[in-house]
Amino acid sequence: MDTNEALLLLAHVIEPNDERMQFFIEEVGPIEAIEAIRRGLIPKRESEGLQARLRAFSFTTAVRELDRCSTRLVFRDSPEWPSQLNDLGHERPFVLWVVGTPDVRLAAVRSLSIVGARDCSPYGRFVARDWSARLSDRGWVVISGGALGIDGAAHQGVLSVGGVTVCVLACGVDVSYPRAHESLLANIADTGLLISESPPGSPAMRQRFLSRNRIIAALSRGTVVVEAGSRSGTTSTANFVNRLNRPLFAVPGAVTSPASIGCHQLINEGKAILATQWQDVAAMLGDQQLTSNLESVQSRPTDVLTPIQKKVLDAVPLRRGKPAEVLMLTTGLSLREVLIALGVLEVEGFIRQEDHLWRLVRA
């Protein structure tokens, strides 16, 4: 058994959040750690459960799963391995299961992550979608976790402009979680990347969500938190970003919004940089061609819009404009409501009409 085979086996046996075992493996080496598990010689740890997983593992089955899921393995010594993951030390993944064409290492070179609350506000969803689209237009690869809310909006924003987005999963790459994002995950796989440190077939579990957050933090050059509660998985991502000394940005929201409490705490405690427009984020991460005083859609106040107007605005794409009839189907509103809202949004400068197709105004 070589080192990569041992790491593949360990990825089937050890949970990502098992820090004690990760430290032990880093200390003695993958091959020696497997022998220690077999013999029940793990310090300060019962080995029965791990031994059962060890006996259940089959290299033949693992290889067959790769073909079934159209998946490839990226090992630590692979040219495709993103070296920034090594900043995690003993907490770095054993191996990555990857679906998608882009090279993982190259995709991570000019990347940032956009994360936030599942139960987000229309404002938060708009900022995540709009900023992701605009940053993707600038050549940035956007990384997120595929969850409902801010994560999904970030991925959708990139896809709307034909960019590359990376989804780091808390389950196997063949598991559609959440179920509502089955189509979104398929679209990401078509042009971007699905990544997991858990084997195919692994279900989503709470601890796996917390563990995958460290990968999101380590893969990207910086992280933007759009909305977050006072205690949430998003704040755990922020903590990993701080530990790695990477830039962390937080988007402010209404002081009355529970979804923005976490962002305001990060800013007040000096853990995150206040971000009020996407240009600030790109410039801070090295995009020198941008100036921070450019007017942009997302910096315009949307709080004055009615719920109907916000709903229509959220449905308008940045590229490849849509007719009012399609927006009616997307929003579930009547055609009259859509047309009235479009008129207001055009006057306010949020959108424009070209050949009866509506799209967002670029910065």
Side-chain angles (χ1 to χ4, degrees), residues 341-353 358:
L342 289 172
V344 173
L345 294 171
E346 184 178 27
V347 170
E348 293 294 330
F350 287 102
I351 63 175
R352 69 173 54 168
Q353 184 185 28
W358 295 92

Side-chain angles (χ1 to χ4, degrees), residues 317-332:
L318 183 59
R319 283 184 179 175
R320 296 191 294 273
K322 293 181 179 179
E325 291 77 11
V326 172
L327 296 174
M328 177 184 69
L329 294 174
T330 302
T331 59

Side-chain angles (χ1 to χ4, degrees), residues 191-202:
T191 57
L193 293 168
L194 300 179
I195 295 176
S196 178
E197 63 178 326
S198 298
S202 300

Side-chain angles (χ1 to χ4, degrees), residues 124-330:
R125 183 177 289 107
F126 172 77
V127 170
R129 188 172 185 265
D130 184 61
W131 287 25
S132 294
R134 296 176 187 278
L135 288 163
S136 179
D137 252 355
R138 296 287 306 179
W140 290 90
V141 171
V142 176
I143 300 171
S144 198
L148 298 173
I150 297 300
D151 288 18
H155 293 305
Q156 289 163 353
V158 176
L159 294 174
S160 72
V161 297
V164 174
T165 183
V166 177
C167 179
V168 183
L169 297 164
C171 53
V173 292
D174 61 329
V175 178
S176 296
Y177 187 90
R179 180 63 64 183
H181 279 177
E182 183 173 6
S183 177
L184 174 62
L185 294 173
N187 290 335
I188 293 172
D190 285 341
T191 57
L193 293 168
L194 300 179
I195 295 176
S196 178
E197 63 178 326
S198 298
S202 300
M205 297 169 60
R206 183 179 181 278
Q207 286 301 319
R208 288 176 181 165
F209 281 106
L210 297 176
S211 299
R212 70 91 191 268
N213 290 342
R214 79 192 195 286
I215 299 179
I216 293 176
L219 268 181
S220 52
R221 289 172 58 178
T223 297
V224 181
V225 180
V226 176
E227 286 185 328
S230 58
R231 296 183 64 184
S232 65
T234 301
T235 54
S236 80
T237 306
N239 290 334
F240 277 117
V241 175
N242 285 153
R243 280 175 50 188
L244 293 166
N245 292 317
R246 308 276 176 83
L248 177 66
F249 305 88
V251 178
V255 296
T256 56
S257 172
S260 290
I261 291 176
C263 289
H264 296 160
Q265 287 178 337
L266 290 170
I267 295 168
N268 289 335
E269 294 169 4
K271 295 180 179 179
I273 303 165
L274 175 69
T276 59
Q277 53 183 359
W278 65 268
Q279 292 97 327
D280 294 339
V281 175
M284 185 72 71
L285 293 179
D287 198 332
Q288 298 300 328
Q289 297 177 8
L290 287 172
T291 56
S292 60
N293 62 353
L294 292 176
E295 183 185 11
S296 60
V297 170
Q298 74 277 12
S299 64
R300 298 187 178 113
T302 58
D303 289 344
V304 298
L305 300 178
T306 67
I308 288 179
Q309 291 163 359
K310 290 179 181 179
K311 192 171 187 178
V312 173
L313 180 61
D314 192 41
V316 177
L318 183 59
R319 283 184 179 175
R320 296 191 294 273
K322 293 181 179 179
E325 291 77 11
V326 172
L327 296 174
M328 177 184 69
L329 294 174
T330 302

